[in-house]
Amino acid sequence: MIIKGNFIWAPELDRLEVREHAWLVTEGERIVGLYGQLPPEYAGQPVEDWGEAILIPGFNDMHIHAPQFPNRGIGYDVRLLEWLETYTFPLESRYRDLDFARRVWKRFLNRLWAVGTLRFSAFATIHKQAAWVLMELTEQAGLRGLVGKVNMDRNAPDSLREETEQSLADTEELICRSRAELKHVGFILTPRFVPSTTERLMDGLGQLGEKYDLPVQSHLSENPSEVDWVRQLHPDIPTYTQVYDTYGLLRRDKTIMAHGIYLSPGEKDILREKGVLLAHCPFSNSNVSSGIMPLRRDLEEGLRCCVASDVAGGHTAAMNRSVAGAAALSKLNWLSHPEQRHLKVTEAFHLATRASGAFFGKVGCFEPGFDFDALVLTPDPMDSLLERTPVERLEQFLYDGDDRHIAARYCGGARVERPFAL
Amino acid sequence: MIIKGNFIWAPELDRLEVREHAWLVTEGERIVGLYGQLPPEYAGQPVEDWGEAILIPGFNDMHIHAPQFPNRGIGYDVRLLEWLETYTFPLESRYRDLDFARRVWKRFLNRLWAVGTLRFSAFATIHKQAAWVLMELTEQAGLRGLVGKVNMDRNAPDSLREETEQSLADTEELICRSRAELKHVGFILTPRFVPSTTERLMDGLGQLGEKYDLPVQSHLSENPSEVDWVRQLHPDIPTYTQVYDTYGLLRRDKTIMAHGIYLSPGEKDILREKGVLLAHCPFSNSNVSSGIMPLRRDLEEGLRCCVASDVAGGHTAAMNRSVAGAAALSKLNWLSHPEQRHLKVTEAFHLATRASGAFFGKVGCFEPGFDFDALVLTPDPMDSLLERTPVERLEQFLYDGDDRHIAARYCGGARVERPFAL
């Protein structure tokens, strides 16, 4: 495939690459090269010419709750634990109904496709069948990523509290089935968070992680009451981070922890050493009044961080808006912590494309050997009135663009069309 | 006109009214009544039945820069004064070209219509002709509100610095012309802010305000450097607020001041006494790192406040998003100032509908005697899967809705269609 356009990507936090009127050549899933002049060996082959449009890497959303998708924007005037009880758990308990689940999943995946989230790591619910259907539909949609059946065997309403051994058995069944039947969607171990998983369950999940060499996702240190609660539940373990570590749930370079707002220096040492990816969720953090993660400081201290939507603590699946929201939150943090320079919006863009894409391998850059994932952004009608640089057009899309500004999506080297007719 | 639907409005900060399956009757521009059963005298008359849709008052955006509309989202990684120099002034200088202005204004008004901003108070530029065309096009569009030609005669680039007497003469010409020719769009005195207006200009504008009994809009105390600058420019006047007051520019119950983040208690006394409306602009305040206005405290201290977009310091004209942004910013403020309860999103909704509408009179409620302004919000497709209260549907629209969720708009008793074909 040969694609012509204006390419922008952010290979490093503080580096943006721009190639105007360039030719990108792919073979299968991967990029062969990006050229200012089309190399002679490709002459005469068909070219997809996107004209003045800009192409950016697809978004990778590393923390999103698929079952909460219908709850976007609802009930945010309480804080985390009350919000879970009042809004989240009642909705999640409905996913034992597979027909309901299937209808939500299709809308969810259509929406991710629309807003340019081509890869993701999603929480499903405790329900094995519903999680399986989400995995299958994601593969059918042509999107990629990880899906986890949630594990919860304590501090949950009856309708969502699992029997420990059954939870482990259901998890193992999904691990094996997805390995056998799916190509582009993998299973990720998904203990909800420490307060809702017993020691036996965490231990069993840690063993499954070891046995199948699996990635893990969970929540860490989102809210002060949650942190206190974990301390009460595990008085013998000094920190929240160490609870996960004790049970083998910080798997090296394979673990995503959402939030991480209230971390001690010792916890950061462990997270850095294990290569844990912290998913910063700016909208969720303000919506349920969790707090502001010291993102710049964490990055300077060598932690791996990315930007994620956290639907439905976050109110939108649109990652461009989460990127702009991360820059905004970082500026507000800077006002009260002037020693922590705020993030530029293009740095937040790196965190939602390449920093997150690295969890999947060579994803998130327009460089040889990388998977070809891209969004084609159409020019704003104002662009005919004003001269705009590609970077200005990227900034405008990040702040005020929506799915109508995305003309096409490519994932793993193939164009992806709207997945489901509803 | 008889309209059936589910009506929600916020007559007071802490009061939300909901009437499901109700009939609203209008006569001319105004609401006659809202009834649970259609009164017998209206039987047999045609009814616009919006079924399960909810109707909310239109948004009133009390601080928006029309000429900056093309700059949404661009260049936010600097602070206010540098942003003005680098991005805003070069764009504003282009509006001496009337053809350019007309093309931007049409896109601007189409967008306000799309996102449900039916009334507004807008800054134009210094250019008399361009400001006039914006007034004319607003009237043609069927939208309502106030437009001001900006006055600037110091600390501006050459292309935007006016000669003082000419600035006053141009202003008076527009005042008279708009009174003679327009019905629903008025003129508002618009000194940009203290640093760009000389004492002679402010004095002249104050006199025009008195002569024609005009409303006034400007900026106040947005950024610490700006506040320092005003202090240096006017060493004999104790505060920023008092500079405006000295020149007659705080006209009782007729003045909008954007921002007001860094106000002293004495300034608040003056603003309260004069009934000045403070336009809180959450996105702008975070985008250019201005700070967080203590909105709850200001409201409790009896200041009049509303929520506004401040395009293009704000990145979107969509007022539903500014409402959600105001709630988010208030929560972040609450985390560091626990004595200041955060605003609920429905309180922010009041600030963008009724609190702002009051500047125009009886606007922003579905009550007898009020102008009939309304947005019809279509149900989310998820609503067929889940039972949603009208308030939950309102919350979802505020957080994650866009113009595609607005099925119809009514302003001043009449349905308004998309204003301009482009």
Side-chain angles (χ1 to χ4, degrees):
Chain A
M1 206 161 52
I2 306 172
I3 293 172
K4 189 157 185 276
N6 302 294
F7 295 83
I8 307 184
W9 71 103
E12 294 173 53
L13 185 67
D14 55 357
R15 189 156 64 88
L16 205 61
E17 295 286 339
V18 182
R19 297 285 184 284
E20 293 187 69
H21 304 112
W23 278 263
L24 182 139
V25 178
T26 68
E27 243 179 58
E29 303 194 342
R30 300 223 161 65
I31 296 166
V32 174
L34 181 62
Y35 311 99
Q37 300 286 341
L38 189 64
E41 66 259 40
Y42 301 112
Q45 294 192 24
V47 174
E48 293 189 36
D49 188 343
W50 287 106
E52 290 307 310
I54 63 173
L55 286 89
I56 64 172
F59 292 114
N60 308 299
D61 188 348
M62 305 310 284
H63 186 65
I64 184 162
H65 293 267
Q68 296 174 27
F69 181 64
N71 268 359
R72 299 176 327 284
I74 294 174
Y76 291 152
D77 288 319
V78 298
R79 293 186 80 178
L80 177 66
L81 301 177
E82 185 182 347
W83 180 76
L84 288 173
E85 290 290 335
T86 313
Y87 295 96
T88 306
F89 292 156
L91 175 57
E92 288 199 7
S93 69
R94 295 200 50 181
Y95 290 80
R96 87 174 67 84
D97 172 352
L98 256 193
D99 178 58
F100 177 82
R102 195 181 304 271
R103 291 163 78 182
V104 173
W105 298 156
K106 286 184 175 178
R107 288 174 168 85
F108 170 75
L109 291 166
N110 272 359
R111 186 72 188 149
L112 293 196
W113 171 86
V115 298
T117 295
L118 305 179
R119 304 193 190 223
F120 57 83
S121 185
F123 282 54
T125 61
I126 61 161
H127 308 93
K128 177 179 67 175
Q129 287 90 346
W132 171 251
V133 171
L134 179 56
M135 298 186 85
E136 265 190 319
L137 290 175
T138 303
E139 180 111 353
Q140 273 178 39
L143 304 178
R144 299 191 178 194
L146 300 162
V147 172
K149 182 205 104 56
V150 167
N151 305 98
M152 295 178 82
D153 69 343
R154 65 173 171 178
N155 294 314
D158 289 347
S159 58
L160 290 178
R161 192 169 49 245
E162 301 178 285
E163 195 280 308
T164 308
E165 298 309 317
Q166 189 63 49
S167 179
L168 291 167
D170 287 353
T171 302
E172 190 159 16
E173 184 185 326
L174 282 174
I175 295 165
C176 297
R177 187 168 181 190
S178 56
R179 291 206 166 180
E181 299 183 31
L182 303 177
K183 202 168 158 199
H184 298 303
V185 179
F187 189 84
I188 182 164
L189 291 172
T190 307
R192 178 169 217 114
F193 66 160
V194 166
S196 49
T197 42
T198 61
E199 299 178 9
R200 165 70 198 122
L201 182 54
M202 286 193 279
D203 188 57
L205 292 172
Q207 287 178 35
L208 287 174
E210 199 63 23
K211 181 172 173 187
Y212 295 98
D213 191 21
L214 289 172
V216 183
Q217 63 183 350
S218 195
H219 298 90
L220 175 65
S221 204
E222 176 176 2
N223 168 295
S225 307
E226 171 214 16
V227 175
D228 287 345
W229 194 13
V230 171
R231 197 173 293 126
Q232 288 162 29
L233 290 168
H234 297 273
D236 299 337
I237 303 179
T239 64
Y240 197 163
T241 297
Q242 284 164 286
V243 180
Y244 288 122
D245 201 24
T246 299
Y247 297 100
L249 290 168
L250 297 185
R251 306 208 67 248
R252 189 177 304 279
D253 297 330
K254 294 198 167 192
T255 302
I256 306 162
M257 285 286 158
H259 311 301
I261 299 174
Y262 302 98
L263 297 171
S264 69
E267 289 181 281
K268 292 191 186 184
D269 289 341
I270 297 169
L271 295 169
R272 184 173 37 244
E273 198 267 319
K274 296 278 188 174
V276 170
L277 181 63
L278 289 178
H280 170 54
C281 308
F283 288 143
S284 160
N285 293 350
S286 47
N287 286 336
V288 291
S289 303
S290 296
I292 302 182
M293 181 197 193
L295 186 53
R296 171 69 72 190
R297 198 176 66 197
D298 289 347
L299 288 164
E300 286 182 344
E301 290 174 359
L303 293 174
R304 289 177 69 187
C305 301
C306 65
V307 167
S309 75
D310 193 18
V311 161
H315 53 270
T316 175
M319 285 291 287
N320 64 311
R321 289 170 63 185
S322 280
V323 167
L329 216 54
S330 181
K331 287 170 185 173
L332 295 171
N333 187 56
W334 175 54
L335 289 171
S336 48
H337 300 90
E339 78 289 358
Q340 295 176 35
R341 278 178 307 129
H342 71 76
L343 252 73
K344 294 182 187 177
V345 72
T346 49
E347 293 180 303
F349 172 65
H350 165 81
L351 297 182
T353 51
R354 175 60 190 138
S356 47
F359 200 81
F360 299 112
K362 297 191 92 169
V363 171
C365 290
F366 295 128
E367 293 174 7
F370 274 74
D371 279 19
F372 180 58
D373 283 17
L375 309 178
V376 180
L377 307 183
T378 49
D380 185 272
M382 292 289 183
D383 288 344
S384 58
L385 301 180
L386 292 160
E387 299 252 327
R388 289 291 186 213
T389 67
V391 175
E392 287 171 339
R393 289 166 58 194
L394 170 64
E395 288 185 0
Q396 191 156 67
F397 170 72
L398 293 173
Y399 277 99
D400 198 32
D402 66 35
D403 51 295
R404 289 169 287 192
H405 301 104
I406 307 178
R409 297 133 183 100
Y410 299 88
C411 181
R415 183 130 175 211
V416 188
E417 301 296 341
R418 184 167 187 263
F420 303 107
L422 295 180
Chain B
M1 207 162 55
I2 304 172
I3 292 171
K4 187 158 184 277
N6 303 293
F7 295 83
I8 308 184
W9 71 103
E12 295 171 53
L13 185 66
D14 55 357
R15 188 156 65 89
L16 204 62
E17 294 286 339
V18 182
R19 295 285 184 285
E20 294 186 70
H21 304 111
W23 278 264
L24 182 138
V25 178
T26 68
E27 243 179 59
E29 304 193 340
R30 300 222 160 65
I31 296 167
V32 174
L34 181 63
Y35 310 98
Q37 301 287 340
L38 189 64
E41 67 257 42
Y42 302 112
Q45 294 191 25
V47 174
E48 292 188 38
D49 187 344
W50 286 106
E52 290 308 309
I54 61 173
L55 286 89
I56 63 172
F59 292 115
N60 308 299
D61 189 348
M62 305 311 283
H63 186 65
I64 184 162
H65 293 266
Q68 297 175 26
F69 181 63
N71 267 359
R72 299 176 327 285
I74 293 175
Y76 292 152
D77 288 320
V78 298
R79 293 185 80 177
L80 177 66
L81 300 177
E82 186 183 347
W83 180 76
L84 288 173
E85 290 291 336
T86 314
Y87 296 96
T88 306
F89 291 157
L91 175 57
E92 289 200 6
S93 69
R94 295 200 50 180
Y95 290 81
R96 84 174 71 84
D97 173 352
L98 257 193
D99 178 57
F100 176 82
R102 197 182 303 272
R103 290 163 76 183
V104 174
W105 297 157
K106 286 183 176 176
R107 288 174 167 85
F108 170 75
L109 291 166
N110 272 359
R111 186 72 188 148
L112 293 195
W113 170 86
V115 298
T117 296
L118 305 180
R119 305 193 189 221
F120 57 84
S121 184
F123 282 54
T125 60
I126 61 160
H127 308 93
K128 176 179 67 177
Q129 286 89 349
W132 172 251
V133 171
L134 178 57
M135 297 185 86
E136 266 189 320
L137 291 174
T138 304
E139 180 111 353
Q140 273 179 39
L143 304 177
R144 300 191 177 192
L146 300 162
V147 172
K149 182 205 104 56
V150 167
N151 305 98
M152 295 177 84
D153 70 344
R154 65 171 171 180
N155 295 313
D158 289 346
S159 59
L160 290 177
R161 192 168 50 243
E162 302 177 285
E163 195 278 309
T164 309
E165 298 310 317
Q166 189 64 49
S167 178
L168 291 167
D170 287 353
T171 302
E172 190 159 16
E173 185 185 326
L174 281 173
I175 295 165
C176 296
R177 186 167 182 191
S178 56
R179 291 206 168 180
E181 298 184 31
L182 303 176
K183 201 168 157 199
H184 297 303
V185 179
F187 189 85
I188 182 165
L189 291 172
T190 307
R192 179 171 217 114
F193 65 159
V194 166
S196 49
T197 42
T198 61
E199 299 178 9
R200 165 69 198 123
L201 182 54
M202 286 192 279
D203 188 55
L205 292 172
Q207 287 177 36
L208 286 175
E210 198 62 22
K211 181 172 171 186
Y212 295 99
D213 191 21
L214 289 172
V216 184
Q217 63 183 350
S218 195
H219 297 91
L220 175 66
S221 204
E222 177 175 3
N223 168 294
S225 307
E226 171 213 16
V227 174
D228 288 345
W229 194 13
V230 171
R231 196 173 293 125
Q232 287 161 30
L233 290 168
H234 297 274
D236 300 336
I237 303 180
T239 64
Y240 197 163
T241 297
Q242 284 165 287
V243 179
Y244 288 122
D245 201 24
T246 299
Y247 297 100
L249 291 168
L250 298 185
R251 307 207 69 247
R252 187 177 307 278
D253 297 330
K254 295 199 168 191
T255 302
I256 306 162
M257 284 286 158
H259 311 301
I261 299 175
Y262 302 99
L263 296 172
S264 69
E267 288 181 283
K268 293 191 185 184
D269 289 339
I270 298 169
L271 295 168
R272 182 172 39 241
E273 198 267 319
K274 295 278 190 175
V276 171
L277 181 63
L278 289 178
H280 170 53
C281 308
F283 288 142
S284 160
N285 293 351
S286 47
N287 286 335
V288 292
S289 303
S290 295
I292 302 183
M293 181 199 194
L295 187 53
R296 171 69 72 189
R297 198 177 63 196
D298 288 348
L299 288 164
E300 287 183 343
E301 291 174 357
L303 292 174
R304 289 178 68 188
C305 301
C306 65
V307 167
S309 75
D310 194 17
V311 162
H315 52 270
T316 176
M319 285 291 289
N320 64 310
R321 289 171 62 186
S322 280
V323 167
L329 216 54
S330 181
K331 286 169 185 173
L332 295 171
N333 186 57
W334 175 54
L335 289 170
S336 47
H337 300 89
E339 78 289 357
Q340 294 176 35
R341 279 179 306 129
H342 70 77
L343 252 73
K344 294 183 187 177
V345 72
T346 49
E347 293 181 303
F349 172 66
H350 165 81
L351 297 182
T353 51
R354 176 58 190 140
S356 47
F359 199 80
F360 299 112
K362 297 193 92 167
V363 170
C365 290
F366 294 129
E367 292 172 9
F370 273 75
D371 279 18
F372 180 56
D373 282 18
L375 309 178
V376 180
L377 307 182
T378 49
D380 186 272
M382 292 289 184
D383 288 344
S384 58
L385 301 180
L386 291 160
E387 299 252 326
R388 290 292 187 211
T389 66
V391 174
E392 287 172 338
R393 290 166 56 195
L394 169 63
E395 287 185 1
Q396 191 155 68
F397 170 72
L398 293 172
Y399 277 99
D400 199 31
D402 66 35
D403 50 295
R404 289 169 286 192
H405 302 103
I406 306 178
R409 297 133 184 101
Y410 298 88
C411 180
R415 184 132 176 210
V416 188
E417 301 297 341
R418 185 167 187 262
F420 303 106
L422 295 179

